[in-house]
């Protein structure tokens, strides 16, 4: 059994089911992200682990102990909120000491632990300040220290970086991850920012409408999305309609043959949707890039290290990121191009005639 | 100054006169006890009267008891309603506003009927019982102000998230209420306390009908029999009330924009 085990958990508010059949085992010391669009039930699931909501069905165990019906203050969890939620009437030191104080730890031990925690977040010099005298980033680091001070079994973070500006967001997420590794604490991190989830997680749980769509490492989620939803939600994707015939791994895109890594399931003549990551499409045919699709450049967007091309192909519009090279200017709009890719760089999505997935921009 | 600017100033000036003139007149009158000269003779007489000290002391004590009891009643109620029964907020607010609609005299007659010495709960059978009843009455009278102040104060902090943060750290409800919530609505409690204080010091109806030796009935009695002393008493009561307000501001006030800041840091922050 995993260290944190969520098994068959559902949650309804009135008649509205917001989490359904949620199964997840989290290993000790693992960093898990819940990723999904707004309203998909991430917070609700996290709050059930924390004990602020009661599951309508299912059980939650931590370290072998069934905590499903235990109140939050008996679960030994640490929680970090989007709005920091530091106690305004207490200094930074007192905030961090709060959990130890209610646990009845002696003053000397509290003092040591507070200093240790503030050292870890590098805010020892702000110990006597009050929350309103701190920046947002500092407040959130204090909130992190406060949650970690009583040595919780699980650390839960609900979009802890959403209220911060972009630069702090990136540096603080790195800091959170480093601290998590150092302390080896089992962590669940809720976010709707895919880049955040991809960059810091051991595993990502992609959720949609209260269900787990896919659970896997960032590499798996990004490169082998199992459902259309995951494919569309994580990363940018362009879709091309193709036709499969027979049981082979070759399909045809407007007459041009394309070889896939695996055969398309099913039989007979049937439509399939091919999905491409922008970085999979190249302008040159190298190594095992045996496939080619011809099209016309619609637009070229210069992004610095890469140039994003929009190419109109017979089966759909393709986005291709090609490396910027000082020697060769990118193709101009209207120019015909051939895009090359390897069989492993394309994946077929099931579901015929479904609407193309809209790549979600990171919010 | 342009004409457009002048208009509001005239209104403010008139309003100020409306409030200040009677005060000035009372004060002036209180100084003219000795013929042909201004003196504090009326104040000397008032302060020399042991009944003044007794009744004023009684009312101050009653006010403090009212504040403590009111806060103990209102803070947990407002907290619980906001946290658990947000839909009941309108109902509770309506209930707390009732004392503004129902005259105090109705309240006292109700009390006297319910708790007279031959009833099932004979509060009025003993002096301390009646005092207790008096304080209960005051708590009810000050409820609209206390509840509003505290509820507004709770609206200004995110009590739900603070509660959850404290819970996740292992705190129990009582700890949360007294160590997290109460300190953060202190300013609100204090402003409610000030209004309660003013109500208790100025009360005549409840104390009079329950026959308690409070300041209001004493003031009324003096008013019937003397000329200058009531004016002096009014000024003293007024000064005492404003003195209390200043004290509260000093103890619980906060700089605009700053979160509820403990005194320690505020002192440090002010050079
Ligand atoms: N206490 C509640 N009562 C009724 N419905 C609720 C309650 N809490 C959440 N919901 C509903 O549950 C659904 C999931 O909410 P949840 O907060 O878990 O979403 P989320 O994934 O965290 O979204 P976001 O990214 O916007 O924070 C929403 O449709 C929401 O309206
Ligand atoms: Mg949420």
């Amino acid at each position: 059994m995993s260290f944190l085990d969520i098994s068959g958990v559902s949650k309804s508010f009135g008649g509205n089911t917001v989490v359904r059949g949620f199964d997840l085992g989290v290993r000790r010391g693992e960093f898990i992200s819940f990723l999904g669009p707004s309203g998909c039930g991430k917070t609700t699931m996290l709050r059930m682990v924390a004990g602020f909501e009661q599951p309508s069905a299912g059980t939650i165990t931590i370290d072998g102990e069934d905590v499903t019906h235990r109140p939050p203050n008996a679960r030994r969890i640490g929680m970090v909120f989007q709005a920091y939620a530091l106690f305004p009437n207490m200094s930074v030191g007192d905030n961090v000491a709060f959990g130890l104080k209610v646990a009845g730890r002696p003053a000397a031990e509290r003092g040591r632990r507070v200093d240790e925690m503030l050292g870890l977040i590098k805010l020892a010099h702000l110990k006597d300040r009050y929350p309103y005298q701190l920046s947002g980033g500092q407040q959130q680091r204090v909130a992190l220290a406060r949650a970690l001070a009583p040595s919780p079994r699980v650390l839960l973070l609900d979009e802890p970086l959403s209220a911060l500006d972009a630069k702090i967001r990136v540096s603080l997420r790195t800091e959170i991850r480093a601290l998590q590794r150092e302390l080896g604490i089992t962590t669940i991190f809720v976010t709707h920012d895919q880049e955040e989830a991809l960059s810091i997680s051991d595993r990502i749980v992609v959720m949609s409408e209260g269900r787990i769509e896919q659970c896997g490492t960032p590499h798996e989620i990004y490169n082998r999305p199992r459902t259309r939803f995951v494919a569309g939600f994580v990363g940018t994707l362009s879709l091309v309609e193709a036709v499969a015939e027979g049981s082979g791994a070759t399909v045809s895109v407007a007459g041009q043959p394309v070889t896939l890594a695996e055969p398309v399931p099913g039989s007979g003549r049937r439509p399939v949707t091919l999905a491409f990551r922008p970085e999979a499409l190249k302008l040159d045919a190298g190594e095992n890039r045996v496939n080619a699709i011809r099209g016309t450049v619609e637009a070229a967007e210069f992004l610095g290290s890469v140039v994003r091309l929009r190419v109109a192909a017979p089966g759909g519009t393709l986005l291709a990121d090609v490396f910027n090279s000082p020697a060769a200017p990118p193709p101009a709009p209207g120019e015909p191009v051939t895009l090359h890719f390897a069989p492993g760089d394309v994946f077929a999505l099931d579901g015929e005639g479904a609407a193309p997935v809209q790549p979600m921009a990171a919010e | 100054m342009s004409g457009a600017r002048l208009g509001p100033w005239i209104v403010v000036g008139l309003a100020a006169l409306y409030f200040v003139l009677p005060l000035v007149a009372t004060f002036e009158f209180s100084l003219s006890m000795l013929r042909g000269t201004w003196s504090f003779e009326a104040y000397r007489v008032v302060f020399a009267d042991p009944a003044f000290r007794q009744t004023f002391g009684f009312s101050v004590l009653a006010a403090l008891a009212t504040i403590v009891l009111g806060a103990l009643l209102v803070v947990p109620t407002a907290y619980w309603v906001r946290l658990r029964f947000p839909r009941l907020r309108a109902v509770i607010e309506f209930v707390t506003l009732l004392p503004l609609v129902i005259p105090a005299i109705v309240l006292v007659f109700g009390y006297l009927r319910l708790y007279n010495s031959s009833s099932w709960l004979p509060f009025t059978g003993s002096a301390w019982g009646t005092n207790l009843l008096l304080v209960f009455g005051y708590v009810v009278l000050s409820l609209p102000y206390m509840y509003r102040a505290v509820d507004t104060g709770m609206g200004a902090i995110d009590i739900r998230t603070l509660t959850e943060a404290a819970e996740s750290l292992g705190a129990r409800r009582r700890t949360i209420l007294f160590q997290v919530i109460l300190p953060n609505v202190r300013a609100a409690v204090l402003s409610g306390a000030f209004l309660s204080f003013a109500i208790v010091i100025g009360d005549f109806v409840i104390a009079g009908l329950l026959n308690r030796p409070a300041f209001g009935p004493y003031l009324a009695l003096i008013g019937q029999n003397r000329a200058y002393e009531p004016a002096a008493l009014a000024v003293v009561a007024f000064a005492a009330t404003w003195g209390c307000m200043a004290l509260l501001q000093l103890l619980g006030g906060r700089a605009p924009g700053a979160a509820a800041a403990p005194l320690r840091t505020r002192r440090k922050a002010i050079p």
Side-chain angles (χ1 to χ4, degrees), chain A residues 214 219-226 261-262 343-347:
Chain A
Q214 187 173 354
H219 190 262
E220 279 165 14
I221 296 280
Y222 187 83
N223 295 304
R224 289 283 160 255
R226 214 178 299 136
E262 291 161 13
D345 287 338
V346 57
F347 39 94

Side-chain angles (χ1 to χ4, degrees), chain B residues 35-219:
Chain B
R35 240 162 253 281
T37 170
W38 281 1
S39 69
F40 285 99
E41 180 63 12
Y43 292 87
R44 197 192 56 74
V45 174
V46 162
F47 284 125
D49 186 357
F52 163 75
R53 271 174 275 155
Q54 273 162 20
T55 56
F56 199 73
F58 180 88
S59 282
V60 168
L61 268 184
L64 293 180
T66 302
I67 288 166
V68 171
L69 201 66
L72 284 180
L73 178 73
V74 164
V75 173
T77 308
Y79 172 59
W80 202 241
V81 167
R82 267 190 179 264
L83 197 65
R84 279 295 146 94
F85 310 105
R87 280 199 217 115
L88 282 185
R89 242 184 86 213
V91 179
I92 299 285
E93 206 168 295
F94 176 73
V95 169
T96 60
L97 286 179
L98 283 180
L100 289 183
V101 187
I102 300 171
I105 194 158
V106 175
L107 183 80
V108 186
F109 275 119
Y111 276 4
L112 286 176
R113 270 198 72 89
L114 269 177
Y115 304 119
N116 64 53
S117 48
S118 56
S119 73
W120 57 282
L121 226 184
F123 268 121
T124 57
S126 63
W128 70 264
T130 317
N131 286 344
L132 209 58
L133 198 58
L134 179 75
V135 170
F136 289 166
Y138 286 154
V139 168
V140 171
L141 279 196
S142 58
L143 203 55
Y145 309 98
M146 198 58 151
Y147 187 84
R148 289 240 140 185
V150 170
D151 191 54
T152 309
M154 290 202 179
I157 55 169
D158 186 351
I159 59 158
R160 176 175 295 272
T161 314
L162 287 182
T163 300
E164 288 178 353
E167 270 186 313
S168 70
L169 291 165
R172 270 178 285 177
R173 272 290 142 80
R174 243 165 60 111
T175 315
I176 298 174
L177 189 59
F178 284 101
Q179 291 187 23
V180 176
I181 302 301
L182 195 56
N184 286 309
V185 293
R186 196 184 53 176
V189 171
L190 286 175
S191 74
F194 164 69
L195 290 166
S196 306
F197 192 91
I199 286 171
V200 174
I201 295 295
D203 166 71
F204 165 70
V205 177
I206 300 191
L209 286 173
L210 288 178
N211 197 21
R212 295 325 298 152
F215 184 64
Y218 171 74
L219 183 58

